Amino acid sequence: MTTSSMTAETTPPTSTTTTTATTAITDHMTAAEFDEAFTAVMPRLRRRLVALTGNPHDADDLLQETYLRLSRRARASTLARQQQPYAYTCAAALNLLRDLWRHPSRQERCTDRLPERSWDGGFASREAETVTTALLRELSPKEAAAVILVDIEGLTHDMAGERLGAHRGTVQRNRMRGLAKIRASLDAYEPASAAVSSAKAADGPARRAATVCTTTCTTT
């Protein structure tokens, strides 16, 4: 065997390899090609999904999820070119629908329960305490003590009188005068009343403070 023939036999088929690699690269759909193909089959696919789910809203959600999943593959150049785009997209949608049936917890459910109130970082409670403290500072020491013990701490007039060393009637009169001043301040400063009312459901001192400024002052 001659050297030239050996060289020819050992030379790799460069053109064939290059052609094969190029074909493998171009055998994947681009994002634009996928969008065009999906848009063409979308009306037919939606009708099929409506028939399967029995709900146009569920069908639209499933259609959108199918597009997003396949679109990610197309943009990553990993989605192979399909001879029958409708059959492929329909199979992908059915797989998603089957997955929802297998895992009912992933489905959205209608409910009449309101979501829980989000935590505001304690702002409403802090604001209620600030407003209540400012209102109490406008009272005399005896009036403030009566309001705090009876309306905030929840003591009776007799118990508050024992703690203050005063008669029950004295405590009641001081409390009534204090509540009247608080009511007048709230009428003159409506934003303060609104701030305290927004914190009525808060725990601890803020809840009791809101009771003083809203419930007690308006019902006493």
Side-chain angles (χ1 to χ4, degrees):
M1 182 179 294
T2 63
T3 304
S4 59
S5 61
M6 293 177 59
T7 304
E9 291 178 359
T10 56
T11 301
T14 306
S15 58
T16 305
T17 304
T18 304
T19 303
T20 304
T22 304
T23 303
I25 294 175
T26 58
D27 199 32
H28 292 85
M29 298 182 69
T30 64
E33 291 173 341
F34 168 75
D35 289 343
E36 182 179 357
F38 191 89
T39 302
V41 303
M42 185 170 60
R44 182 182 175 188
L45 180 61
R46 185 180 184 276
R47 290 194 297 269
R48 178 70 181 276
L49 295 178
V50 170
L52 290 173
T53 61
N55 187 334
H57 302 292
D58 293 341
D60 290 337
D61 291 341
L62 191 59
L63 187 68
Q64 181 180 10
E65 184 62 26
T66 303
Y67 170 80
L68 292 176
R69 179 166 298 190
L70 296 179
S71 178
R72 284 193 294 266
R73 295 181 55 189
R75 280 160 175 74
S77 299
T78 59
L79 182 61
R81 194 179 306 277
Q82 303 297 323
Q83 297 296 329
Q84 297 182 357
Y86 170 75
Y88 182 79
T89 54
C90 185
L94 292 179
N95 288 335
L96 290 175
L97 181 60
R98 192 178 297 112
D99 184 58
L100 290 176
W101 286 341
R102 290 175 179 175
H103 304 86
S105 60
R106 298 180 182 178
Q107 301 181 19
E108 294 183 358
R109 297 170 181 253
C110 297
T111 178
D112 56 354
R113 297 179 56 187
L114 295 176
E116 296 182 358
R117 295 180 58 187
S118 59
W119 186 57
D120 62 352
F123 176 78
S125 299
R126 181 58 180 170
E127 188 175 13
E129 294 177 359
T130 302
V131 172
T132 303
T133 301
L135 293 173
L136 292 174
R137 286 177 178 173
E138 298 180 2
L139 309 182
S140 67
K142 293 182 179 180
E143 293 169 349
V147 171
I148 291 173
L149 292 177
V150 176
D151 297 289
I152 296 181
E153 298 297 333
L155 301 182
T156 64
H157 290 94
D158 292 330
M159 296 171 63
E162 292 179 1
R163 182 174 297 187
L164 295 174
H167 191 269
R168 178 183 184 278
T170 302
V171 174
Q172 187 175 9
R173 285 191 297 271
N174 290 331
R175 173 177 172 266
M176 295 299 294
R177 284 195 293 266
L179 291 178
K181 292 180 180 179
I182 291 177
R183 190 182 302 111
S185 298
L186 288 176
D187 293 339
Y189 185 59
E190 293 182 359
S193 177
V196 177
S197 299
S198 64
K200 289 183 66 177
D203 294 330
R207 179 183 60 80
R208 296 191 295 269
T211 304
V212 174
C213 297
T214 57
T215 305
T216 304
C217 292
T218 56
T219 60
T220 304

